[in-house]
Amino acid sequence: MSNSYHNMTAHYNAYFIALEHIKAIERTIEDQYDWNYNLILPIFPQFDSTAANSFSDQIEDCIEKASLAIQRHKGSKWEDDSYVLVGKARFYSLDYQNAVETFKYVNTKGKDDYAKHEALVALMRTFIEYKESNNAIAVSDYLKKEKLNKKNLKNLYLTRGYLYQKSGDYNNMVQNLIQAEDLITNFKERARINFIIGQVYQSLGFDGEAYTYYKQTLKNNPPYELSFYTKLNMAQVTQLAKTNDAKKVRKYFRKLLKDRKNEEFKDKIYYEMAKFEVRHGNLDQGINYYNSSIRSSVNNNRQKAHSYLSLGKIYYDSLAEYKLAKLYYDSTLTVLPKDEAEYAEIEARQKILENFVEQYTIIQVNDSLLNLANLPPDSLDRFLDAYIAKEEAAELQRREEEKKRKRNAARLAANSSSTFSQNTGGIGANNYEGTTWYFYNTAAVSRGKSEFRRVWGDRKLEDNWRRSNSTASITVSDDKVGLEPDGENKSKKGIEEEEDEFKIDKSELIATLPQSDEDKQKLLDEIEEATYQLGKIYNFDLDEKHNSSETYESLFTRFPESEYRHEVMYLLYIIFKELGNIPKSERYKNLLLEEAPESIYAKVVINPNYRAESQAASEKLKQIYAQAYDSYELGDYSQAMVLINDGLREYPDNDFVDNMALLKILVQGKSESIYKYQYELNNFIATYTESELLPYADSLVTASEQYQINLVNSTRAKFIPKFEKPHFFIFAYQTDQELSDALPEYFKSLIAEDSPLKIGNLILDEQYSMILISEFSNKQTAINFNKEVETEKPAEKINKTGKFYNFVITKDNFNILYQTKELDTYLKFYRKNYQQ
């Protein structure tokens, strides 16, 4: 009796409620998932943290109820099943680690073999989502030896198929799905799995097998959306792919378009029509159909993105019209969901095209400005007159078209005021087949809502909703029509009014032209840089060798003194060699060797293995550098210099030699005069013009020069003995990265959270940095804080050796200290005036 009580109570109370939660979560995930029929559907619908958060309450209650079944009914036969539900709840909350632990617990401690198998299948799915495929494979291999019931076996096959889908192994994926399909009893699930199998076979080119499984999909009475895509794919693997009767294919598409049940799928139908026409060489017609697909797409941004993308690819790959391609790639990214497999590739190409259009536009605009600036005054005058006349005529036409659009919108609004029946899906329109009531037709309702908002805007549901208020007559905003108090139907005020006259000021246009030689040179510099960048894009990003060579040659001819001259010679040598134009290739090779025999480009031409050999030499030089640097750090400058000279002598020509040369200068700075040190630094800057160390070398020169200035100024450092002013607290320490990271946090702990004091970390000179706390309102509060710091003894707690100083200072004296860097001088001043 006790066992029966616990089994029944656990099953039909807590466990039952927890199970219903899991089922509801799985239904929600499937219903909310945006199925992308342009790609092979995932075996399991995907979900993310946003979705997981949306059913967090269900997950929490599921875990609570399943835990009750475990705690209050220990030993019942539903205990293992309850643990499985806890694991699934954690899985759907993305708590993969705890889900793994729960499923493992069921497998090791559970008594029910079926529950243990269910837990292992769920564990395998968790490992897949957790991106631990090796563990998932290990679980799969273990389950091969087990005897599973039909439900667990079906889920195992599906999960294995999902594992292979994630790794791109479509052969094994299909084999597992076929085995799972025989065990699936739910018609909707079986239809989807059959469709996925058909998709895989279609992608692999097995049209006969694909057709068979698409046919099986339809036998399982799928939802209308899945049915539509199944029929479309069936046509693709039969008549659309193989028939030579283009008329028959086009007739089939027209039939799909006329079927009003397919209203919301028109974008997909036009998309497939476009693909068919492009495949048969009708590029213009294909472009028209892709545009029709875009216009027809209302709620399906994913499909709209694919249509934009297809147009972008046509203009990019087939027509090489990169400016237009860029616009379509821009549009693609505005609507393309980020979960698309090609998203990163599309984004990368969009950036390439964006860069291309930017450089191309700079060249065109600057050349136009320069050409206009060079025209004789009378020719420029005639050109600008023609340009202004053309622009004003275009603006006038645009305004007329805008007025016409407003009048049409006003008439439409007036007609809508008496009835909302529209041919595009209003209540009175018979635009669907069958006897389905209007409000059961989601596509018609969606169109109706959109049309209503377009005409009337957002309106509150109330009496006299057509009026802006209940007593006055309507005046619909923007381009809508209104009824004036006398009841006459008039256009909104302003529609027929004449707009301000549009005129272009010729003097303003002339002002945009380059006037001085400096202005013209600036435009030329921009053209030079843009031409170089455009050649790189053609060469490396678009792989357009002919366009690249033309661009580089124009740069070479137009800007013979360009900073890119030697690099362009080398690139033209390579490009013409690849194109088989050996005479031109040899010409640029010889020119490079003659003009810049010591450049890296010439060295690579002479020795194609130069870079590899240079890399090997760099690695060896790095080892010597490490030894020399250790000696430098230890103060053994003579040994450091021996190692440096040996290294430079043995490996004189490689990518790392500038690092060794700069280390040599640092050693000289410790062992020779400051003037020699500064000379060698300036010589380094002049010699290694392309080194990444140039900013650091510049900073060393600046610091050295400042040091000399400080030496001169040190005798003039006079601190002001006026103390009734705001003060700063200073903690000076020998510069150390660990201290720079730790000290601000340490001093923050000494300051109340609501305190207005601020902490800064500054470099004082080559030796010292300092923590600056500002500002204390007077001398005494600063001294009190300084005493507190001395009591805390930070120099002992930070576990670092070196010199540390803490003191207070007025704002005026701090400025003097920071400029002169005379820390010792101020410390004497401090002891005399603050510590006596």
Side-chain angles (χ1 to χ4, degrees), residues 13 60 97 102 112 118 184 198 224 239 254 335 412 470 476 484 504 523 551 586 613 619 630 719 752 812 830:
N13 285 323
E60 185 178 342
Q97 278 190 315
T102 305
D112 182 352
E118 184 179 2
I184 298 174
Y224 186 76
Q239 64 200 58
R254 286 195 296 271
V335 292
L412 179 61
S470 59
V476 184
E484 298 297 327
I504 297 176
L523 294 181
T551 305
E586 288 296 313
E613 293 174 2
E619 294 301 321
D630 287 342
F719 294 99
D812 293 338
Y830 173 78

Side-chain angles (χ1 to χ4, degrees), residues 191 194-195 213-222 226 230:
N194 278 320
F195 181 79
Y213 279 97
Y214 286 143
K215 195 171 181 181
Q216 287 295 113
T217 302
L218 296 178
K219 286 183 179 179
N220 287 288
N221 193 25
L226 181 58
T230 302

Side-chain angles (χ1 to χ4, degrees), residues 38 266-276 289-290 293 303 306-307 310:
N38 290 309
K266 275 188 173 181
D267 53 352
K268 178 63 177 176
I269 298 170
Y270 277 122
Y271 178 77
E272 294 299 332
M273 293 171 73
K275 285 172 62 177
F276 174 78
Y289 282 142
Y290 279 130
S293 173
Q303 179 56 60
H306 279 275
S307 298
S310 297

